[in-house]
Amino acid sequence: MAEYIWIDGNNGVRSKTKTLSKAPKTLEELPEWNFDGSSTGQAPGDNSDVYLRPVARYPDPFRGGENILVLCECWDSDGTPNKFNNRHECAKLMEAHKQYIPWFGLEQEYTLFDEFDKPYGWPKGGFPGPQGPYYCGVGTGKVFCRDIVEAHYKACLYAGVTISGINAEVLPAQWEFQVGPCTGIDMGDQLWLARFLLERVAEEFGAKISFHPKPIAGDWNGAGLHTNFSTEDMRKEGGMKYIEEAIKKLEGRHKEHIAVYGADNAKRLTGLHETGSIESFSYGVADRGASIRIPRSVAREGFGYFEDRRPASNGDPYQITGIMMESIFGAIE
C-alpha cells in the first residue's frame, strides 16, 4: 500500500491509498495519480482533475512492512504546477543556489484541542493558571497529551524524518517539535510529512491539531515556525560576516517575507510574548523579541547560524525557505 500525500488549497494535508502489485524500489516506479481538486479547493468543478506526481517516499509507520508514504506535488491537466504547488518554485531556487549548501532547521509549534474545540487540559468554562510552569514542564497539570507527542515522535523516527527533538511550550496544551538540519528542498518535504504524521496520530486519539499562530486570544503565547538557517560559509570560521550580510538582505525585504510567513501572523507578531513587531525589522544576539536572533554561542565563536523568528506556525515551509534563498542569493528566471 502506498499512501499518497499532498497539500490542499487550504494549507492542509490530504491523502489517499493506492494498492501496488509490488513494492517499488525507486521513486520513478511510483505511478502518477489524480484526485478531485474541486473537493480540496484546488480546481473548479468543470475542470476538476489534479494530478499527483511523487517527489519523495518514506516508510509507513502505521502499516509497517513494505508499505510506504508518498509525498506528491500537485499539477494541473495542462502540465503546469497547480496554483497551490509552492514546492515547484522552491525546488528551483534550491537547485539554483545549491552551491551554498543551505541548511535549515524548523521549530514547529502547535496546539492540541479536544472534540469541543477547547485546549486539552484547560478547565471547563475557565482558564488554567498563568504561563510559567508549562514550558518544558513535567507532571500532571503542567503538560497535556504527552502520549500523542511521544507517538508522533516515534512515527517520525520510523519514517526517517530528521526530527531532532520535542518540548512542551509556554502555552498549556502547546508543544513543539524540531526538524533538521536538512539541506535544500528536503526541509520542506520533511516538515510537511511531519505535519501529516502529527495529524494522523492525533486522529487516533480524537484530538485536533491547531497551527494557528494565535490559538488563544489574550495574555498567552502564540505559535511560530522559527526558521534556523546557515550556509557552508556561515558555518566556517569567520562566518559571522556572511551571517550579517544575509540579515541585511532580509531586512530590505521585510514586507515580502511577512506576506508569505503565514496567515493571521499580525495577531502573533505584536512585540510581546517573545516576538518582534510585524511592522518593523530587528535583530540581536540572544534576543527573542527580535525578528532575527543570533544565538549567543554563535556571536561568541564568530560562526554558525541565525534564527528567523517571524514565520507563523501555519506558514508553508516551501514558501519560507524559498524566499530566504531568494532574498539572500537572488531570484531566478
Side-chain angles (χ1 to χ4, degrees):
M1 290 178 279
E3 191 74 13
Y4 277 51
I5 303 163
W6 71 95
I7 302 149
D8 66 15
N10 300 303
N11 202 42
V13 286
R14 307 273 181 140
S15 74
K16 63 177 185 173
T17 312
K18 189 175 189 65
T19 302
L20 304 176
S21 59
K22 61 179 181 179
K25 296 180 180 179
T26 65
L27 189 66
E28 290 70 30
E29 292 179 35
L30 286 164
E32 187 177 279
W33 208 7
N34 62 74
F35 65 93
D36 172 16
S38 68
S39 296
T40 63
Q42 292 172 270
D46 60 357
N47 187 20
S48 62
D49 284 357
V50 178
Y51 294 86
L52 295 170
R53 295 185 182 179
V55 293
R57 51 175 282 178
Y58 308 88
D60 187 336
F62 304 107
R63 295 178 173 131
E66 294 185 310
N67 301 299
I68 56 175
L69 305 175
V70 183
L71 187 66
C72 302
E73 280 192 13
C74 294
W75 288 70
D76 291 335
S77 58
D78 62 0
T80 60
N82 184 263
K83 64 180 178 180
F84 299 103
N85 178 356
N86 295 319
R87 185 186 188 277
H88 181 67
E89 287 301 317
C90 180
K92 286 163 59 176
L93 281 160
M94 295 300 179
E95 178 63 24
H97 301 305
K98 64 182 179 181
Q99 69 270 28
Y100 298 104
I101 314 181
W103 286 4
F104 295 92
L106 297 185
E107 305 171 26
Q108 177 69 73
E109 294 179 330
Y110 62 95
T111 312
L112 291 137
F113 284 76
D114 63 22
E115 66 271 29
F116 304 110
D117 294 321
K118 192 79 173 176
Y120 252 103
W122 286 40
K124 293 182 179 179
F127 295 89
Q131 296 181 154
Y134 312 111
Y135 172 69
C136 295
V138 178
T140 302
K142 297 178 183 177
V143 293
F144 309 97
C145 301
R146 192 183 291 274
D147 48 359
I148 296 176
V149 174
E150 290 285 332
H152 171 247
Y153 199 165
K154 293 172 183 177
C156 284
L157 290 171
Y158 185 98
V161 173
T162 311
I163 185 168
S164 49
I166 58 171
N167 61 268
E169 270 299 335
V170 178
L171 173 76
Q174 186 181 88
W175 287 79
E176 173 185 297
F177 64 88
Q178 304 92 33
V179 178
C182 297
T183 304
I185 195 64
D186 196 37
M187 182 71 260
D189 289 350
Q190 290 205 30
L191 198 282
W192 272 114
L193 182 72
R195 284 180 175 177
F196 166 81
L197 293 172
L198 179 60
E199 296 271 16
R200 181 65 179 77
V201 167
E203 176 188 315
E204 299 286 335
F205 291 83
K208 299 178 182 179
I209 302 297
S210 171
F211 293 111
H212 195 282
K214 190 68 174 179
I216 305 295
D219 192 20
W220 303 98
N221 271 36
L225 184 61
H226 299 155
T227 301
N228 300 281
F229 177 77
S230 69
T231 62
E232 185 175 41
D233 286 333
M234 294 177 190
R235 296 187 292 269
K236 293 179 179 178
E237 188 171 344
M240 184 59 73
K241 168 192 172 184
Y242 298 97
I243 290 173
E244 291 174 345
E245 288 176 354
I247 291 173
K248 284 298 182 183
K249 291 178 180 178
L250 296 179
E251 181 177 17
R253 301 191 74 208
H254 178 64
K255 290 183 178 179
E256 290 86 344
H257 281 248
I258 291 297
V260 297
Y261 271 10
D264 292 319
N265 210 9
K267 296 178 180 180
R268 167 180 163 263
L269 295 181
T270 61
L272 302 173
H273 304 110
E274 302 181 67
T275 70
S277 169
I278 198 169
E279 300 298 334
S280 59
F281 182 92
S282 61
Y283 70 95
V285 175
D287 186 356
R288 283 181 161 76
S291 306
I292 303 290
R293 179 182 70 92
I294 300 172
R296 190 166 299 283
S297 61
V298 172
R300 182 175 60 250
E301 295 170 1
F303 62 91
Y305 69 99
F306 65 87
E307 175 192 48
D308 190 339
R309 298 180 59 81
R310 296 172 295 172
S313 50
N314 59 4
D316 184 338
Y318 295 133
Q319 290 185 297
I320 294 167
T321 59
I323 198 170
M324 288 187 75
M325 296 296 287
E326 181 181 89
S327 294
I328 296 171
F329 303 116
I332 57 175
E333 294 297 329

